[in-house]
Amino acid sequence: MNSMAIELLAPRYAIAWYPWAVQYFFLIAISYATLWLAAPALVFGKNTWLPTARLAMLACLTTTLVAPVALLADLHQPLRFWHFYAYATSSSWMSIGSLLLPLYVVGVLLLGWLAWRPALQANRQAPGLMGLIARLLSFGAAPTPRAALVLVGLATLALSTGIMLYTGAELAVVKARPLWNTVWLPPMLVASGFIAAAGLVLVLNRVSGMRDLTSSGQMLKVLLGACVVAGLVAGSWFLDGINANVGSVAAALDSVRASPSWRSTALWGGLTGLALFGAVLYLLTRPASRRPGLYAWAWVLGLVAIHMGWMFRWVVLMDVQHVARNSAGFHHYGIPAGSSGILGIVGTFGLWLAAVLMIDLLIPWRQARQGGSAADVSPSDSNAQPDAKSVEGAPSHG
C-alpha cells in the first residue's frame, strides 16, 4: 500500500501592531484614569482630595499630550491619519476613536488651564520667563467661574468613558484572536489602567517633593480597589473559559495551554498582583502612628503598579500576536533596537518626562484650584509646602 505525505504550508504574517501601540494604550489608560482621580476635587469640589488632584492633573495632561504621538507612530505612515476623517466608517471602533480622541485632548487641555488659571494669575508679576508665560496663559485677571470648570470637567469625563470603551472594543471585536475576542478584556484594561495611574500619582507625590500623606493614603485605597476589580475580572475570565464548551475564552485558553512561556507569564502576573494587593493592604491596616513612616515607601509600590499596567498591555498587544493564527506553535518576536522597538519605547517615556519637566518649570501646577481668582491662591499654596503633619515620613506627635 502506497503512503503519501501531504505537506501543508501556511504563510507567516508580520505583526500588525508594534510597541508604539503598547505605549499608546498605556498612556491613554493613565490619562483617563488620572482624570477620574482629579475629578473629586476639581469637578465635585472635595477639598480633601485637592493635593491628589494636583498630582493627577499633571499626570493626566502630560500623558494626554504624548499618547497621540505614540498612536500616530503606530500608523507606520503617520501622515495618513487624515484617512480616518476622509473615509469615516461608523462600524469601525478605530474610526469612532479618531473622533473621540481630539475632543478628549481638547477637554483635558481646557480643564487643566481652568484649574491652573488662578495660580497663573497670581504669578503675573513674577520676573523672567515664568511671569511672561503666566501673563500670556492667564488671559486677563477676571475670576475663573467655578461653573465653567465643572461643565468642562463633566464633559471631559463623559469623553473619557468613550475612550475607555473604544480602546477596549477595538481589541475585543477581533474574532481572529481569541485572546482578544472576549468581553472581559475591556474592563481589565480599565482596571489595570487605574492600577498604573494610582501608582504614577504615588511616584509623582514622592519625586515632586509634595509628599502629601493624605494623597498617599487615598491612592493606596484606589490601588487596593483596582487590584480587587482586576482580580475579579481575571477570575471571571478564567472561570468562563474552563466552564464553556465553546466561546472565545475557551479557545483562548486552549491556544496557549501548551506554552511554557504563557504559563510563566500567568504565574508572574498572578503572583505580582497578589504581592501588590498584600503590600497595599498591609500599609492601610497599620496603626495611624506608624503610617507616616510606612507611607514614605508607598512610591515603591507605585513603581510595581506602573510595571503591572505596562506589562499587561505588552502581553495583550505583543505576546498575543506571537500565537499563530493559521499554523501550529508560536512565532518569536525579537524587539528591534530602532524606532519601532526599544528606541521607540524609551523615546516615548522620554517625551513624557520632557513634558512633565516643562510644565514643572513653567506652570504653577502645585497651586491648582477649583476655580476662583488670584486672590484665592494663598501664600502657603504659592510656596507649595504642606505642613509637617501631612508630609510622608514626618514624625507624629499625636
Side-chain angles (χ1 to χ4, degrees), residues 247-329:
S248 62
V249 179
L253 291 174
D254 185 63
S255 67
V256 297
R257 185 171 286 116
S259 171
S261 63
W262 276 90
R263 285 197 295 271
S264 63
T265 297
L267 182 62
W268 156 81
L271 291 178
T272 305
L274 288 174
L276 181 63
F277 175 82
V280 172
L281 187 62
Y282 173 80
L283 289 182
L284 288 174
T285 54
R286 293 305 89 195
S289 60
R290 294 186 59 191
R291 289 180 188 175
L294 292 174
Y295 280 9
W297 295 97
W299 65 275
V300 177
L301 298 181
L303 291 176
V304 176
I306 293 170
H307 163 74
M308 282 194 62
W310 190 85
M311 284 303 298
F312 176 76
R313 281 153 181 79
W314 181 270
V315 171
V316 168
L317 290 163
M318 301 304 296
D319 288 353
V320 168
Q321 293 186 89
H322 300 179
V323 181
R325 291 182 296 175
N326 302 303
S327 59

Side-chain angles (χ1 to χ4, degrees), residues 43-263:
V43 180
F44 303 111
K46 194 171 182 179
N47 287 319
T48 56
W49 205 269
L50 193 54
T52 294
R54 290 165 175 164
L55 294 161
M57 197 67 233
L58 174 67
C60 177
L61 193 138
T62 51
T63 52
T64 301
L65 290 174
V66 178
V69 177
L71 178 62
L72 287 174
D74 191 59
L75 293 178
H76 308 306
Q77 297 178 15
L79 292 180
R80 71 179 183 179
F81 75 91
W82 61 271
H83 290 190
F84 284 115
Y85 307 102
Y87 309 101
T89 306
S90 60
S91 60
S92 168
W93 282 105
M94 286 188 179
S95 186
I96 294 172
S98 69
L99 300 176
L100 288 173
L101 186 58
L103 295 175
Y104 173 74
V105 171
V106 171
V108 169
L109 290 173
L110 189 54
L111 180 64
W113 176 74
L114 289 170
W116 295 339
R117 186 169 178 262
L120 287 168
Q121 291 173 326
N123 283 355
R124 287 172 64 90
Q125 304 306 317
L129 185 59
M130 290 190 64
L132 175 62
I133 290 179
R135 290 189 293 273
L136 290 175
L137 294 184
S138 59
F139 289 96
T144 303
R146 168 74 182 151
L149 192 146
V150 171
L151 289 175
V152 171
L154 291 175
T156 310
L157 287 173
L159 289 169
S160 74
T161 59
I163 300 294
M164 296 179 196
L165 180 61
Y166 112 81
T167 50
E170 69 177 334
L171 288 173
V173 297
V174 181
K175 294 182 180 180
R177 295 286 184 186
L179 283 162
W180 290 348
N181 187 220
T182 169
V183 295
W184 298 111
L185 182 57
M188 190 63 176
L189 287 170
V190 174
S192 60
F194 272 89
I195 289 174
L200 181 57
V201 172
L202 286 171
V203 173
L204 289 176
N205 191 27
R206 175 74 176 187
V207 300
S208 68
M210 290 185 65
R211 303 186 183 184
D212 187 83
L213 184 63
T214 302
S215 179
S216 292
Q218 291 166 344
M219 288 303 94
L220 287 172
K221 291 175 182 177
V222 170
L223 195 54
L224 186 71
C227 286
V228 170
V229 173
L232 291 174
V233 173
S236 300
W237 182 85
F238 180 75
L239 291 174
D240 192 10
I242 62 176
N243 292 323
N245 295 321
V246 293
S248 62
V249 179
L253 291 174
D254 185 63
S255 67
V256 297
R257 185 171 286 116
S259 171
S261 63
W262 276 90
R263 285 197 295 271

